[in-house]
Amino acid sequence: MFNGLAAIVYKETRHVLRDPRTLFLMLLLPCLELTMFGYAVNLDIKHIPTVVYDLDGRNSARELVEAYVNSGYFRIVDHVASDDALNREIVAGHAKVGIKISPDYTDRILEGKSAEVQVFIDGSDSTSALQALNTSNAIGMLTSMRIVGKSMGGTPVMTIDTRNRVLFNPDMRTANFMVPGLVGVILQVVVMLLTAFAIVREKEQGTLEQLMVTPVSRLGLILGKLVPFGVIGIFEATSVLTLMRFLFHVPIAGSLLLLAGFTLVFLFTTLSLGLLISTFAENQIQALQLSFLVLLPSFLLSGFMFPQETMPQIIYYIGQAVPVTYFLRVLRGIILRDAGFWDLWQNGAVLAGMGVFVILLASMRFRKTLK
Amino acid sequence: MAVNNFEDRPVIIHADQVSRRFGNFTAVDHVSLDVLEGDIFGFLGPNGSGKTTLMRILCGLLRPTGGHATVLGKDVYADSEAVKRSIGYMSQQFSLYKDLSVMENLRFYAGIYGIPRRERVARMEEVIEIVGITDHRKKLAGNLSGGWKQRLALACALVHRPRLMFLDEPTAGIDPVARRDLWNLLFDLAGRGVTFFVTTHYMDEAERCSHIGYIYYSKLIVYGTPAELKLLPDVTPKGAERLEVRVPNVAASMRTLNTFDYVLDATIFADVLHVLAEQGCTRRLIADLEAGGFPGAEAKPIPATLEDVFVTLTRQRALERAQEQANV
Ligand SMILES: Nc1ncnc2c1ncn2[C@@H]1O[C@H](COP(=O)(O)OP(=O)(O)O)[C@@H](O)[C@H]1O
Ligand SMILES: [Mg+2]
């Protein structure tokens, strides 16, 4: 059943070692991708450039501006002296937020009336706009309450004290959430393409025809291709995880051993998918096109970019069919929440099941005859 | 019009009405043939006539859509894995791993064919010795010259000591010396009892085969030993003989020759003409040529060459095909 397995492993290993440049690229590429995308997806928006048009200029007004700066989300880039100037700063893109404090701000507070502060937000960058809006509202609330408290004499009071506590990623760093996801998605891309090309290249070069007239078994050939690429996959996984830990400073809360175990299962599934693709494709272009059928849902529907909970049902189910969905749960579980084996085993089981199914399908589809 | 051999050597390849269609197109059309042990069977035919397709069927690579065939007693389709274990195959294009060395390629095939680890080195040395590639062991297969590439491919196909070798145009695109060397190697192996099924374009190679089949537009037109084919009545019809005519201006004189009513056919072979003419017209031919402005011609009777055989049969078949198509 496994006839020829050892010979195929031997040959594939020779191919890889013969060409150290390609090997180096295969290991470097996922690291480059992780670095590039890792910085790109960093959604924490801090120090939004802000201009201030302070018509009041007294203490209370300055305290308000300070409250903005102290929140960490705003950085005052300039003070302006007219509505026009404020507008121009935003249009020119020098600032994304403009704070205009009315001349009677201090007076109205002292009189116990509501004081007016206008905050202009550049909506053309929706992510920072949202951040600015939320923070600004919160600052408004907090400052009001402090003032109300003061005016009632003594300590500020709160009617309802909701103490939200974010577990597991207390700083709400997007990197901690996104980069483990990226690790999964990048491994999926790189490892699958690598293997998809492995058999297709032999088709193109005519060496597969020669192999087909030998007694090599189908499973021997398929698994023989899988083993060496699996080893490369392990190196790639290790390097991107190392990068995640030390370049993006994402701490790994859970067990490294468990992480390694699940990663192996995921690699197996991904390699099998690559091999299945190579049984459909006649050349590398076709292999690439077919890969996109898996890669697009891996990016969009796996929960990597958008939460799966909000997806329409059918889209949700497509998302459940891509292996990386389960691996993302495992990655986030182990890395962020210190989840244990029993919390995650179902994801591992689905991955393993998918892998076995796909590899059997691939070796069944692979015929030792021509068409 | 198969020429039958009634010999008691074992039948190695037996094809019975084998056909293969690709959609509406028939690439191999009811081909029947037998190859006996020790034969070097040369399979000839123009490009696209179906040689590779038949060879692939016999190797268990392609399913026949009609008829059946056995190789070494096993059905090529139903029992293709058994067939694959005992044959060697060299495909038309070079299909070893160019980025692996000679030894690495050999080691790979030795492994694939499941040669026990203990015997592997000895077996590799054996085929290296046979094909004489000793000095190139370390070279990458991709860096070998054409002739050496073919020898390496042969070595890889021999490593499991097959009783039958299929070689698809093994000498296409290699230089004449390498070509001759390769054929000597084939004879050497045939002497050790290996049976060969070889496709080729070259007439001189065909002459060296023990048996020949000629396929034209998917149909096997004829097969037998070269000597048998040359004596086929269709090749030299009753009352006709073949002459070699030596004359200074072959091209121009051929046009004149073709106007003589006792000349059935004329073909240029380098600086001489091969003429198929009615028997006993030699003198008349020389005289008529002189009258036509070509003095000093010499003519002598010759036996048919294989090329004569194929040219004549092809012309006949082309005529028949044209008539069939006209009738449809
Ligand atoms: N897989 C295929 N699909 C369709 N047509 C094919 C296929 N393989 C071969 N043919 C056609 O069959 C004919 C015979 O091809 P082939 O056996 O390769 O000829 P030869 O080897 O004599 O040059 C050609 O016309 C070729 O185009
Ligand atoms: Mg051919």
Side-chain angles (χ1 to χ4, degrees):
Chain A
M1 192 157 98
F2 297 107
N3 193 9
L5 173 63
I8 302 276
V9 172
Y10 163 78
K11 167 184 91 77
E12 293 297 327
T13 312
R14 285 281 128 197
H15 284 315
V16 171
L17 295 180
R18 179 88 346 122
D19 190 5
R21 267 208 354 234
T22 309
L23 180 64
F24 181 65
L25 267 182
M26 285 194 285
L27 295 178
L28 189 69
L29 208 65
C31 293
L32 277 178
E33 283 175 3
L34 186 77
T35 310
M36 253 162 48
F37 291 114
Y39 281 116
V41 297
N42 208 334
L43 296 179
D44 286 331
I45 296 151
K46 298 238 161 138
H47 313 296
I48 303 169
T50 305
V51 285
V52 176
Y53 179 22
D54 185 359
L55 289 161
D56 181 282
R58 283 170 284 176
N59 250 351
S60 314
R62 281 211 299 278
E63 273 170 19
L64 178 71
V65 174
E66 243 157 61
Y68 272 86
V69 175
N70 289 342
S71 75
Y73 289 97
F74 301 91
R75 175 170 56 100
I76 310 300
V77 290
D78 207 357
H79 287 267
V80 292
S82 70
D83 282 327
D84 246 12
L86 184 137
N87 200 34
R88 263 203 314 278
E89 290 290 307
I90 293 181
V91 171
H94 300 151
K96 291 208 160 101
V97 173
I99 301 173
K100 180 184 176 186
I101 303 172
S102 58
D104 54 355
Y105 178 80
T106 310
D107 304 326
R108 291 185 70 96
I109 284 176
L110 290 177
E111 287 163 25
K113 291 180 185 161
S114 81
E116 195 190 345
V117 178
Q118 280 178 288
V119 179
F120 304 91
I121 297 172
D122 174 7
S124 62
D125 177 348
S126 65
T127 335
S128 30
L130 204 65
Q131 183 76 266
L133 192 66
N134 289 336
T135 318
S136 177
N137 278 338
I139 291 171
M141 275 290 274
L142 286 172
T143 315
S144 309
M145 283 203 279
R146 200 176 317 121
I147 292 164
V148 171
K150 260 188 207 160
S151 69
M152 286 170 67
T155 48
V157 285
M158 287 243 186
T159 23
I160 304 172
D161 183 6
T162 53
R163 301 201 171 181
N164 300 316
R165 202 172 127 235
V166 178
L167 301 168
F168 310 126
N169 184 11
D171 308 336
M172 295 281 274
R173 280 187 74 211
T174 8
N176 290 6
F177 179 71
M178 292 302 275
V179 177
L182 255 180
V183 167
V185 172
I186 286 175
L187 280 181
Q188 166 92 74
V189 175
V190 179
V191 174
M192 196 176 76
L193 284 181
L194 200 65
T195 0
F197 288 162
I199 286 190
V200 171
R201 213 175 302 123
E202 291 217 29
K203 279 190 194 174
E204 284 181 333
Q205 292 174 354
T207 51
L208 194 63
E209 180 178 334
Q210 191 74 45
L211 267 185
M212 281 175 172
V213 282
T214 70
V216 67
S217 70
R218 294 185 285 177
L219 213 53
L221 177 60
I222 298 263
L223 291 180
K225 294 257 170 192
L226 199 136
V227 172
F229 290 108
V231 172
I232 294 176
I234 289 171
F235 276 109
E236 287 177 338
T238 312
S239 57
V240 285
L241 282 170
T242 309
L243 218 56
M244 173 193 86
R245 175 65 189 83
F246 294 104
L247 184 66
F248 290 101
H249 306 290
V250 178
I252 299 173
S255 146
L256 277 182
L257 205 64
L258 195 62
L259 185 61
F262 276 109
T263 306
L264 277 182
V265 177
F266 172 69
L267 284 177
F268 168 66
T269 314
T270 306
L271 289 159
S272 314
L273 259 180
L275 287 170
L276 181 66
I277 285 175
S278 68
T279 65
F280 282 96
E282 288 304 318
N283 51 52
Q284 300 193 28
I285 303 283
Q286 280 178 15
L288 200 62
Q289 288 167 343
L290 284 170
S291 301
F292 273 96
L293 286 182
V294 180
L295 296 185
L296 280 182
S298 295
F299 271 105
L300 302 175
L301 310 181
S302 63
F304 164 61
M305 289 226 250
F306 311 111
Q308 286 185 310
E309 290 76 19
T310 59
M311 289 174 189
Q313 203 156 43
I314 179 148
I315 303 285
Y316 174 82
Y317 284 123
I318 298 176
Q320 300 305 298
V322 284
V324 78
T325 298
Y326 303 92
F327 188 51
L328 288 192
R329 291 182 191 156
V330 169
L331 281 171
R332 286 171 178 161
I334 296 177
I335 294 173
L336 298 176
R337 299 195 304 270
D338 187 15
F341 176 78
W342 294 110
D343 302 314
L344 300 169
W345 72 272
Q346 282 163 318
N347 296 301
V350 173
L351 280 177
M354 280 181 167
V356 171
F357 174 74
V358 169
I359 197 102
L360 287 180
L361 192 63
S363 55
M364 238 147 64
R365 273 197 49 81
F366 179 75
R367 299 249 154 256
K368 280 180 70 187
T369 44
L370 301 165
K371 266 181 252 120
Chain B
M1 58 173 102
V3 181
N4 285 311
N5 306 283
F6 296 101
E7 293 183 58
D8 49 7
R9 286 177 295 153
V11 176
I12 299 289
I13 301 176
H14 173 71
D16 181 18
Q17 303 286 312
V18 169
S19 300
R20 170 71 203 203
R21 301 172 68 88
F22 294 112
N24 286 330
F25 175 75
T26 306
V28 172
D29 195 359
H30 293 92
V31 170
S32 301
L33 53 84
D34 284 304
V35 176
L36 304 187
E37 184 164 58
D39 282 352
I40 297 185
F41 188 88
F43 198 45
L44 279 89
N47 272 330
S49 52
K51 301 184 295 295
T52 299
T53 306
L54 180 69
M55 190 177 270
R56 284 175 170 162
I57 290 173
L58 295 177
C59 291
L61 263 181
L62 206 59
R63 187 174 59 84
T65 50
H68 69 92
T70 58
V71 162
L72 296 161
K74 311 260 177 16
D75 188 279
V76 290
Y77 184 62
D79 212 359
S80 63
E81 287 307 304
V83 168
K84 286 171 185 175
R85 266 191 292 277
S86 37
I87 61 167
Y89 172 66
M90 244 173 91
S91 62
Q92 195 166 347
Q93 75 277 37
F94 179 69
S95 50
L96 296 179
Y97 300 97
K98 296 196 176 85
D99 55 335
L100 298 193
S101 72
V102 168
M103 285 306 270
E104 286 166 342
N105 270 295
L106 271 173
R107 201 170 295 133
F108 170 63
Y109 277 99
I112 282 285
Y113 280 105
I115 291 160
R117 210 164 277 276
R118 284 171 286 115
E119 292 173 38
R120 221 170 270 179
V121 173
R123 194 68 75 79
M124 283 159 59
E125 288 307 321
E126 177 186 309
V127 290
I128 284 175
E129 168 88 31
I130 291 174
V131 304
I133 202 165
T134 319
D135 297 342
H136 302 278
R137 289 159 191 265
K138 292 254 160 57
K139 264 196 193 163
L140 295 189
N143 294 342
L144 295 173
S145 69
W148 286 112
K149 272 189 180 135
Q150 293 307 74
R151 278 163 180 255
L152 173 59
L154 197 63
C156 289
L158 276 173
V159 78
H160 59 300
R161 291 190 182 141
R163 285 176 64 196
L164 169 63
M165 295 281 290
F166 287 97
L167 312 180
D168 199 354
E169 299 195 22
T171 55
I174 66 174
D175 67 76
V177 179
R179 209 152 70 85
R180 174 145 313 180
D181 289 347
L182 195 73
W183 269 91
N184 289 339
L185 192 56
L186 299 193
F187 280 114
D188 190 26
L189 286 163
R192 300 171 190 226
V194 182
T195 308
F196 283 90
F197 187 101
V198 188
T199 68
T200 178
H201 279 310
Y202 297 105
M203 287 305 149
D204 59 323
E205 291 180 1
E207 292 278 7
R208 305 180 71 173
C209 294
S210 65
H211 294 76
I212 307 170
Y214 184 68
I215 188 172
Y216 181 71
Y217 278 107
S218 346
K219 289 200 173 75
L220 185 70
I221 299 181
V222 67
Y223 91 100
T225 66
E228 284 166 339
L229 298 193
K230 289 172 194 168
L231 295 176
L232 279 176
D234 278 23
V235 174
T236 314
K238 245 193 174 66
E241 67 178 335
R242 293 191 173 267
L243 301 171
E244 182 188 275
V245 179
R246 196 167 285 280
V247 63
N249 190 344
V250 281
S253 60
M254 187 172 80
R255 254 171 273 133
T256 312
L257 262 173
N258 275 327
T259 63
F260 307 159
D261 54 4
Y262 53 89
V263 169
L264 306 176
D265 187 33
T267 317
I268 299 177
F269 277 75
D271 59 342
V272 297
L273 289 164
H274 284 194
V275 178
L276 182 64
E278 280 167 24
Q279 249 162 5
C281 298
T282 316
R283 291 239 173 111
R284 210 168 129 201
L285 189 132
I286 290 169
D288 285 348
L289 271 179
E290 187 152 5
F294 300 99
E298 291 166 30
K300 63 170 188 224
I302 48 160
T305 63
L306 271 184
E307 184 152 339
D308 291 326
V309 174
F310 297 131
V311 168
T312 315
L313 293 177
T314 305
R315 283 214 184 117
Q316 281 173 9
R317 194 45 67 96
L319 261 172
E320 284 167 27
R321 268 175 65 86
Q323 276 162 6
E324 277 167 28
Q325 271 158 13
N327 292 341
V328 170

